[in-house]
Amino acid sequence: MSTRNVIDISELPHHGFDTYDPVWWGNNGLLAIETSMFAILIATYFYLRQNFALWPPPIAQLTAPLRPLPDLGFGTANTILLLLSCIPMAITDRAARRGDRDTCRIGLGICVVCGLIALVLRGFEFPAVYFRWDSNAYGSVVWFLLGMHMMHLLILTGETVLLFVWLLTREFDMKHRVDIVTIGVYWYWVVTMWLIIYAIVYFTPRLDLRT
Amino acid sequence: MTEFRKTKLLTLAFGALGFLSSCGGIQNSINPAGPNADSLSRLWWLMFYVCTAVYVLVMIALVIAIRNGGRKSDLNPVLNPSPETETRKRNAVLSAVTATVVILFVFLIYSYSTGRALTADLAQKNGLSIELTGHQWWWEVRYNDVDASNIFTTANEIHIPVGVPVTFTLRGGDVIHSFWVPNLAGKKDLIPGKVATTWLQADKPGVYRGQCAEYCGLQHARMALWIVAEPQDQFNAWRQNQTQGSVPPATDSQRYGQQVFLSAPCVMCHTINGTRAGSNFGPNLTHVGSRNTIAAATLSNTREHLMQWIVNSQQFKPGNRMPQNNLGQTELDALVDYLQSLK
Amino acid sequence: MSHGLTRKSELAQISDEELAAQMDRERAELERTWAPPTGLRGWLTDTDHKRIALRYVVTAFVFFVFGGLEAALMRIQLARPDNHFLDPDKYNQIFTVHGTTMMFLFAVPIVTALGIYLVPLMVGSRDVAFPRLNLYGYWVYLIGGILLYTGFLLNTGPDAGWFAYVPLAGPAYSPGKRVDIWAQMITFTELSGLAGAVVIIGTVFKMRAPGLTLNRLPLFVWAQLITSFMIIFAMPSVMLASGLLASDRLIDTHFFNPAEGGDAILYQHLFWFFGHPEVYIIFIPALGFISSIVTAFARTKIFGYTAMVLSLISTGFIGFGLWVHHMFATPIPQMGQSFFTAASMIITIPTGIQIFCWIATLWTGKLNIKTPLLFVFGFFANFIIGGLTGVMLASVPLDLQIHDTFFVVAHLHYVLIGGSVFPLFGAFYYWIPKWTGRMLSETLGRWTFALMFIGFNLVFFPQHILGLHGMPRRVYTYLPESGWGTLNLISSIGAFILASGVLVFIINFLWSRRAGEVAGPDPWAADTLEWSVSSPPPSYNFHNLPVVQGRHALWEATPDAPVVRGLSTTKRETLVTSVLDAEPELRFEIPGPSIWPFLVALGTAEAFIVGIFTPWAIMAGALLTGAALICWFFGDPNYENRPAIESPSKVASPPELRPKEV
């Protein structure tokens, strides 16, 4: 060991935004895992579709629609809500970087509300599918897609609540500012995944890709 | 180092021993009896010889490397090997990689063309057409024909004419099974919800054993089948016989046996054409007397075995779907008389 | 580059005795700060990566022994035709649990455990990036293993094979909870693997010592890094396969039910998309072990560093494109299958490159032939056979003869035991002195090798022939007329020789704890950073983090190389550096011992174990887990309430890496 020359790191900060902090890498590692999971689940959706002449399959009931496509109402409302929720999240993100505690509080609060409403809307999306998870393979895979995403909405909202509570009750320190920015990444990811799943679940059957 | 070499020699010796004890035999993929298995066997031997040569060469290189390296006594790390050594190493590695690529390419082409030849023929085969459905733990065999009166169902024993390609349509009945007769062809899975096709041909008369090759539960080990390849006229005679209904009982004992059959649980699972037993849950017994084995090629079809199987099939194939049958000796004798008469 | 952080040390001004005294004081403080917690609570909360790694190693080795016992039972049953040692139900449970144990509870955990122990030391860090996540990973792994074996010992072990194909493993043909136990165990072991992967990536990317650019990373660390990426992309597939299977079984979904549009082949795709990368996940770390051992025992750098790294990366990448070669016997169109033949053959090339480079290294090296190197030789002799039979299996038509026979059993054991277990035992002989401070006996080491080598080849070489001769896999017995008796008997005898080799290893290990020669920091005069600290290393790994000057840190270190100063001795801190060039960025606070990983693991356990019996348990488990996570978030004692610091958005200029003269 040399005592003549050293690299003195005693003035370095404890936390940094984005790629500086290990937490960014950990978070993105987890998101990579979940993205893989969704990608494979989406592949499963299309794989199962090959087994069906009509997708969604017809319902043998006089009162059922001819093609029981998922109703667009709640899903579309949710999509719009989630897209709009990116705005308060982006504002909060920037406020966290600046160190603006009050904006962060308000922004996170709005995000919490958005998350909760999204969860409620998601609850209504399940019945809009016309099939249960145990009706057939179509029902199973659509409920799984919606359900896995809902699990992420739940975790996202939960984490946002935690951070919100921390902001209300404890110090606005660097570590938690980095956490807010990290939640932002997760937030955008959940919304992006939803856009893809929304398009697949609600629209690809409508496009009637097979002649 | 000596130890290493010793153990290498031992391995090679065992390998040779193993091979010497190998040649010949049924249910043997390197003893082909048809064109399908034959081209696969050829592919096997090509790959085997080339791979063995590669392995020997690499092992020689390794042994030389060990001997070279083992001679030095000073163990200070070498951090800057000379440029000539580096160049020589680079060239050696590049040559080895090139050789690898070439060999793989040869394998790929040969493998692909073998595969193409085997499936390309599938579309053109106009010979015999058989439908196989896999069940836990027996094979349902149905001979198809354009003339409906030539269609019949049997189990576990398949007869084919020599020199004629036979197309198999494979369906999974419950779980995944795999149809494999190594002397004649590679295997193909029977998957519920899917239909598969394969073909094979026997070029020599003989009996070839096959076995289920996809784990299918408790008695996977005892789900085998026989393919009997016979000259065309013999085959025609056999087939003709199979399309007939069951042989009516001739003796009193056989008649009594038939009564036993029809009043025992047997009718819940088995079909005998010409009687009112018509269930498809278990193997079709219309011509069971003509088969060489029972219990999916587990037991030879003798009087003794039939009796033991009927009374307590669980002792031979524990877990199979056939219940135990508590029959008195007279009933049993008569029943077996009857079954053996169903040729 | 400009220099913000390098300076002359004030330590250069003080006398040698004062320097020594100061260093001692600092080390004593570090010992206190990083002291392992004691007692039961200590055992539940200890986040030190080395102790967690050793727990993984010991646990996985115990499972290895269990798996070996299962194998011995199978070999006894198969030694003679028509044997009645095991009934079919027992046999089917045993072969399933054997495969499941070896693949999920032994192989992956143990190779990643070596990473968890050695990567922070090799990259010059005081701990891993996410110590509590690391601890959580261990708990869920242990729970998963306990779940499987509880089921097995209660005669409700899974019996549908280690890959549990549907419909056999589905609700209709596997009633009861056997397959559910299997499916949920997968959840635990994959969660553990994923946690470990994220930990390793975070550590390798962000916690390397200054000077350790990616271009200087030891091949061992590259192997762990690539494996971790493979885990991230592969394990979700098996989570889905087992999750959808569990869902079909427990809540009546129809993913695999052909009657309602489901698909049995879908399961195979989902499983093997994971299953093939899985074997590379087991194999690639072993390639890292080989590189470390060859370097140390050939006393020279591995030839072709760049080619080696690119080979590892391409193996990892191509490994995702092979999975259909497990499905050649299904009615997938042949044209599509041929692509997978090509890919399965192409992957030979990067592995071949590595083998040729190692042989070239040995050829021009100076060999110190000790037990670790013997196991490397064993790797070459055995793995290459497995690789070559793999090329044979890659051919679609030939595969249709040898698929699902003992030929495949032979192949997979040659690549897994030859390719991973032999390197692993080499790694044991190499690194156990570092972990325990004692050398293993060289004589017993040679016996271990010889018995394992002979035994292994006796067990598995005849199985190639058995497969060609028509013996399918997973059969609990066979007929005497088959002619398979002799080779099976030889194989079974070999199993006991192999087992005796493992036994000698265990004896060697126990003996060394008592009477082994004291190892000292660097018994092998090796090149990587773990050999610069004591054996075993202190809790804090390094007092002053080193600055790395080359690919072989200890061999290329100059006497006046600088060190890193400025990390606290009273708080747990380590250095975070940039991804590509390892320039210092942050003083990262490492969380200390914590009970929350254990409690979160219990919540997970509740959800997935009780969830086998009722879906409502998942809700309850989610709540328990959530509660524990909340406490984890709020309750960490390491985080003091500090006012917000206006940190610069960009870190100051990179440090000097070459020492300046006074």
Side-chain angles (χ1 to χ4, degrees):
Chain A
M1 181 200 87
S2 165
T3 56
R4 198 178 289 249
N5 288 296
V6 299
I7 293 181
D8 181 357
I9 58 158
S10 52
E11 296 302 307
L12 287 181
H14 287 289
H15 291 283
F17 292 111
D18 306 316
T19 58
Y20 285 110
D21 207 293
V23 108
W24 186 93
W25 294 88
N27 186 47
N28 280 282
L30 297 177
L31 294 184
I33 293 168
E34 295 303 301
T35 309
S36 306
M37 187 276 295
F38 275 120
I40 298 169
L41 195 52
I42 288 169
T44 302
Y45 176 93
F46 286 109
Y47 190 95
L48 287 172
R49 186 174 171 158
Q50 293 173 87
N51 289 347
F52 288 77
L54 286 174
W55 179 268
I59 300 178
Q61 242 178 43
L62 287 175
T63 50
L66 190 61
R67 286 202 68 203
L69 297 160
D71 289 336
L72 284 174
F74 289 105
T76 312
N78 216 347
T79 308
I80 297 173
L81 171 66
L82 284 174
L83 274 172
L84 289 177
S85 74
C86 292
I87 300 173
M89 192 67 235
I91 293 174
T92 312
D93 175 299
R94 255 171 265 189
R97 290 175 195 267
R98 278 196 317 269
D100 177 350
R101 180 188 194 143
D102 294 316
T103 313
C104 279
R105 273 188 186 154
I106 300 171
L108 272 188
I110 300 177
C111 290
V112 167
V113 171
C114 289
L116 291 170
I117 299 177
L119 282 168
V120 171
L121 289 176
R122 177 59 48 83
F124 286 106
E125 283 186 68
F126 286 99
V129 173
Y130 286 99
F131 292 93
R132 286 171 22 136
W133 71 93
D134 59 356
S135 311
N136 48 41
Y138 168 83
S140 302
V141 75
V142 170
W143 274 65
F144 236 79
L145 274 167
L146 294 179
M148 286 303 228
H149 190 267
M150 183 169 99
M151 192 191 71
H152 278 286
L153 262 182
L154 197 56
I155 296 174
L156 178 68
T157 309
E159 288 188 13
T160 314
V161 166
L162 281 184
L163 261 184
F164 182 56
V165 170
W166 182 283
L167 278 200
L168 294 180
T169 58
R170 305 259 190 122
E171 293 298 323
F172 186 55
D173 61 350
M174 186 60 180
K175 191 253 176 193
H176 292 88
R177 286 164 62 192
V178 172
D179 280 351
I180 292 172
V181 170
T182 310
I183 282 265
V185 175
Y186 187 28
W187 195 280
Y188 305 139
W189 179 87
V190 168
V191 174
T192 310
M193 281 296 123
W194 174 247
L195 292 175
I196 298 171
I197 294 171
Y198 172 71
I200 289 174
V201 168
Y202 288 90
F203 282 101
T204 57
R206 289 178 158 85
L207 289 179
D208 219 84
L209 292 175
R210 297 180 313 159
T211 51
Chain B
M1 208 255 295
T2 342
E3 263 191 40
F4 170 67
R5 281 233 239 132
K6 203 168 36 171
T7 49
K8 275 251 33 68
L9 284 170
L10 272 170
T11 314
L12 291 171
F14 272 111
L17 184 70
F19 264 102
L20 288 172
S21 64
S22 80
C23 303
I26 27 178
Q27 201 168 334
N28 185 336
S29 56
I30 43 180
N31 185 25
N36 203 319
D38 190 56
S39 64
L40 295 181
S41 181
R42 264 188 253 266
L43 178 57
W44 154 256
W45 288 114
L46 169 75
M47 294 186 95
F48 170 73
Y49 285 119
V50 174
C51 288
T52 305
V54 167
Y55 182 70
V56 168
L57 287 172
V58 176
M59 286 298 109
I60 290 175
L62 180 63
V63 169
I64 296 178
I66 294 169
R67 294 186 53 170
N68 253 5
R71 288 205 208 105
K72 292 145 196 163
S73 50
D74 130 60
L75 291 178
N76 283 324
V78 176
L79 279 169
N80 295 306
S82 69
E84 305 90 61
T85 339
E86 293 295 288
T87 315
R88 278 212 320 268
K89 281 192 276 193
R90 201 195 63 215
N91 293 338
V93 171
L94 282 176
S95 321
V97 175
T98 311
T100 308
V101 174
V102 168
I103 292 173
L104 289 176
F105 193 67
V106 168
F107 281 166
L108 186 63
I109 301 296
Y110 196 85
S111 159
Y112 184 68
S113 55
T114 307
R116 284 281 306 165
L118 291 178
T119 25
D121 289 347
L122 198 63
Q124 296 148 21
K125 300 303 176 196
N126 284 323
L128 197 50
S129 166
I130 296 179
E131 210 173 277
L132 217 53
T133 306
H135 296 282
Q136 283 177 318
W137 292 280
W138 59 281
W139 304 90
E140 180 184 329
V141 184
R142 189 178 134 110
Y143 281 70
N144 282 326
D145 199 83
V146 283
D147 178 354
S149 60
N150 283 342
I151 297 177
F152 65 94
T153 303
T154 179
N156 302 325
E157 187 172 297
I158 301 174
H159 287 236
I160 60 174
V162 171
V164 172
V166 183
T167 312
F168 285 86
T169 308
L170 306 173
R171 297 173 199 281
D174 39 27
V175 300
I176 301 180
H177 299 274
S178 193
F179 171 57
W180 185 41
V181 186
N183 293 103
L184 299 179
K187 60 183 64 71
K188 203 89 180 145
D189 287 351
L190 292 80
I191 301 182
K194 305 277 173 191
V195 180
T197 21
T198 186
W199 73 277
L200 51 80
Q201 176 176 321
D203 282 340
K204 313 191 267 241
V207 266
Y208 306 106
R209 193 170 187 271
Q211 195 165 342
C212 175
E214 182 61 62
Y215 177 62
C216 52
L218 268 174
Q219 286 299 332
H220 166 64
R222 296 212 190 275
M223 181 172 164
L225 60 103
W226 285 99
I227 290 197
V228 178
E230 44 198 8
Q232 184 73 51
D233 42 2
Q234 261 182 278
F235 169 74
N236 290 341
W238 174 86
R239 187 180 187 157
Q240 179 63 20
N241 182 41
Q242 294 283 324
T243 55
Q244 310 299 327
S246 61
V247 175
T251 70
D252 285 333
S253 178
Q254 290 168 5
R255 265 188 287 274
Y256 183 45
Q258 186 183 59
Q259 273 177 29
V260 171
F261 181 87
L262 293 174
S263 51
C266 316
V267 297
M268 303 295 292
C269 303
H270 294 287
T271 296
I272 296 183
N273 288 340
T275 70
R276 56 183 167 79
S279 166
N280 288 327
F281 190 67
N284 186 313
L285 297 180
T286 308
H287 297 281
V288 64
S290 69
R291 294 188 208 145
N292 295 312
T293 57
I294 57 170
T298 303
L299 298 168
S300 52
N301 190 356
T302 63
R303 193 178 176 80
E304 194 62 36
H305 281 155
L306 269 173
M307 283 204 262
Q308 289 168 333
W309 177 258
I310 291 168
V311 166
N312 187 8
S313 63
Q314 296 296 323
Q315 75 179 121
F316 297 105
K317 253 172 116 161
N320 88 82
R321 299 287 151 85
M322 179 158 154
Q324 296 163 306
N325 292 296
N326 220 344
L327 295 174
Q329 194 56 45
T330 345
E331 279 98 345
L332 195 55
D333 276 319
L335 179 56
V336 173
D337 279 339
Y338 175 56
L339 292 175
Q340 289 197 305
S341 78
L342 294 175
K343 297 223 182 282
Chain C
M1 49 182 145
S2 50
H3 327 295
L5 301 177
T6 308
R7 55 186 187 73
K8 259 170 58 180
S9 161
E10 73 272 9
L11 296 172
Q13 323 292 15
I14 62 180
S15 73
D16 283 341
E17 298 88 43
E18 278 176 34
L19 176 62
Q22 168 140 359
M23 294 294 107
D24 285 341
R25 263 196 309 275
E26 287 183 6
R27 268 194 289 273
E29 270 174 15
L30 280 172
E31 293 278 355
R32 267 198 305 276
T33 308
W34 290 81
T38 52
L40 174 65
R41 193 186 168 84
W43 192 70
L44 294 175
T45 61
D46 190 356
T47 52
D48 175 68
H49 72 97
K50 299 179 288 300
R51 284 187 289 278
I52 292 176
L54 290 180
R55 274 190 230 176
Y56 264 114
V57 170
V58 170
T59 311
F61 196 84
V62 168
F63 283 126
F64 175 62
V65 170
F66 287 170
L69 291 173
E70 285 137 24
L73 290 173
M74 286 193 280
R75 285 311 327 163
I76 295 174
Q77 166 65 11
L78 290 180
R80 302 312 301 140
D82 269 342
N83 209 352
H84 294 286
F85 177 67
L86 292 172
D87 66 61
D89 185 55
K90 274 284 162 320
Y91 187 90
N92 294 343
Q93 281 186 69
I94 287 175
F95 83 70
T96 303
V97 175
H98 165 79
T100 307
T101 301
M102 289 304 200
M103 295 298 281
F104 294 111
L105 298 176
F106 160 66
V108 174
I110 212 165
V111 297
T112 47
L114 262 73
I116 290 171
Y117 193 107
L118 292 166
V119 164
L121 285 163
M122 285 191 183
V123 302
S125 171
R126 284 198 174 150
D127 205 331
V128 290
F130 312 113
R132 291 172 301 177
L133 179 62
N134 199 16
L135 181 59
Y136 171 75
Y138 175 73
W139 291 123
V140 289
Y141 159 60
L142 181 65
I143 291 170
I146 291 174
L147 171 64
L148 180 72
Y149 274 87
T150 308
F152 181 44
L153 293 172
L154 294 176
N155 197 31
T156 179
D159 59 351
W162 82 273
F163 36 90
Y165 274 179
V166 296
L168 179 64
Y173 298 99
S174 280
K177 298 302 178 189
R178 290 176 162 191
V179 174
D180 298 304
I181 289 178
W182 178 87
Q184 300 297 45
M185 183 226 75
I186 301 276
T187 309
F188 288 109
T189 51
E190 304 317 89
L191 269 179
S192 169
L194 288 165
V198 170
V199 164
I200 291 201
I201 292 177
T203 310
V204 173
F205 275 174
K206 294 301 293 181
M207 316 223 340
R208 306 198 305 276
L212 185 50
T213 61
L214 280 183
N215 192 35
R216 290 175 175 171
L217 211 54
L219 291 170
F220 177 100
V221 182
W222 273 113
Q224 290 285 339
L225 181 66
I226 289 159
T227 303
S228 300
F229 274 102
M230 292 188 76
I231 289 176
I232 284 184
F233 294 115
M235 286 194 178
S237 194
V238 75
M239 294 282 253
L240 271 181
S242 64
L244 299 186
L245 173 63
S247 161
D248 266 21
R249 292 175 58 86
L250 297 173
I251 56 172
D252 297 322
T253 50
H254 297 287
F255 290 102
F256 308 121
N257 178 8
E260 290 288 359
D263 201 303
I265 297 185
L266 171 64
Y267 180 85
Q268 297 189 24
H269 280 296
L270 289 173
F271 188 85
W272 290 115
F273 186 76
F274 151 80
H276 196 82
E278 158 87 338
V279 307
Y280 286 98
I281 287 167
I282 295 172
F283 177 57
I284 290 180
L287 299 177
F289 307 161
I290 304 269
S291 286
S292 295
I293 295 173
V294 169
T295 308
F297 290 86
R299 313 305 297 155
T300 185
K301 60 182 186 143
I302 303 283
F303 174 71
Y305 178 87
T306 310
M308 295 289 285
V309 175
L310 291 176
S311 294
L312 284 171
I313 294 176
S314 42
T315 305
F317 200 69
I318 302 174
F320 277 90
L322 307 189
W323 83 93
V324 175
H325 71 211
H326 299 269
M327 300 162 62
F328 282 156
T330 63
I332 290 180
Q334 206 228 343
M335 192 53 116
Q337 292 181 343
S338 304
F339 166 80
F340 292 91
T341 298
S344 305
M345 292 194 176
I346 287 173
I347 203 168
T348 313
I349 298 171
T351 310
I353 291 176
Q354 301 213 321
I355 290 176
F356 303 138
C357 286
W358 284 319
I359 294 181
T361 309
L362 292 169
W363 196 300
T364 57
K366 300 189 266 185
L367 301 190
N368 177 18
I369 300 190
K370 293 281 183 319
T371 306
L373 197 60
L374 289 180
F375 276 101
V376 168
F377 298 154
F379 157 79
F380 285 118
N382 295 324
F383 170 75
I384 295 178
I385 295 179
L388 292 168
T389 55
V391 173
M392 296 171 180
L393 285 157
S395 153
V396 175
L398 185 54
D399 180 71
L400 293 181
Q401 280 286 28
I402 46 186
H403 167 68
D404 251 326
T405 66
F406 263 83
F407 190 95
V408 176
V409 177
H411 160 75
L412 73 92
H413 285 93
Y414 267 88
V415 286
L416 286 173
I417 299 186
S420 276
V421 176
F422 271 74
L424 177 71
F425 274 75
F428 283 155
Y429 276 90
Y430 183 47
W431 276 299
I432 281 180
K434 174 56 59 180
W435 302 341
T436 63
R438 303 276 195 153
M439 303 297 289
L440 293 168
S441 150
E442 186 58 29
T443 312
L444 288 180
R446 285 169 190 247
W447 273 102
T448 311
F449 171 72
L451 288 170
M452 284 183 69
F453 187 86
I454 296 174
F456 167 71
N457 279 288
L458 266 182
V459 183
F460 292 108
F461 197 83
Q463 295 184 0
H464 291 112
I465 303 167
L466 284 171
L468 288 166
H469 285 189
M471 185 171 180
R473 291 169 84 154
R474 302 170 154 191
V475 289
Y476 76 95
T477 190
Y478 52 94
L479 294 175
E481 305 88 76
S482 63
W484 299 330
T486 317
L487 289 176
N488 267 297
L489 185 59
I490 295 174
S491 180
S492 297
I493 292 171
F496 287 91
I497 300 177
L498 176 57
S500 65
V502 176
L503 186 61
V504 171
F505 168 74
I506 296 174
I507 293 172
N508 196 353
F509 177 74
L510 294 172
W511 170 88
S512 85
R513 297 296 304 241
R514 244 177 256 253
E517 188 189 317
V518 171
D522 194 6
W524 307 114
D527 59 315
T528 37
L529 282 174
E530 75 273 25
W531 303 106
S532 70
V533 295
S534 63
S535 300
S539 280
Y540 50 87
N541 292 350
F542 300 94
H543 174 186
N544 294 312
L545 303 187
V547 171
V548 172
Q549 294 167 296
R551 285 177 184 157
H552 305 275
L554 296 187
W555 290 352
E556 294 178 271
T558 56
D560 51 355
V563 294
V564 175
R565 301 266 318 152
L567 287 179
S568 167
T569 52
T570 52
K571 289 201 291 281
R572 296 185 177 215
E573 282 184 356
T574 192
L575 180 63
V576 162
T577 58
S578 67
V579 176
L580 290 175
D581 291 321
E583 287 154 10
E585 288 177 340
L586 305 175
R587 277 178 305 141
F588 195 60
E589 295 165 324
I590 296 282
S594 167
I595 191 69
W596 303 116
F598 178 67
L599 293 178
V600 174
L602 286 186
T604 314
E606 195 280 342
F608 289 112
I609 297 180
V610 187
I612 295 176
F613 301 94
T614 162
W616 293 112
I618 300 188
M619 203 84 47
L623 288 172
L624 288 171
T625 308
L629 284 170
I630 292 172
C631 296
W632 182 330
F633 178 78
F634 275 93
D636 195 326
N638 260 14
Y639 290 109
E640 300 149 15
N641 294 332
R642 276 189 301 274
I645 304 170
E646 279 303 305
S647 300
S649 57
K650 226 177 139 35
V651 175
S653 35
E656 170 70 90
L657 296 178
R658 273 196 313 279
K660 277 203 292 258
E661 285 306 303
V662 174

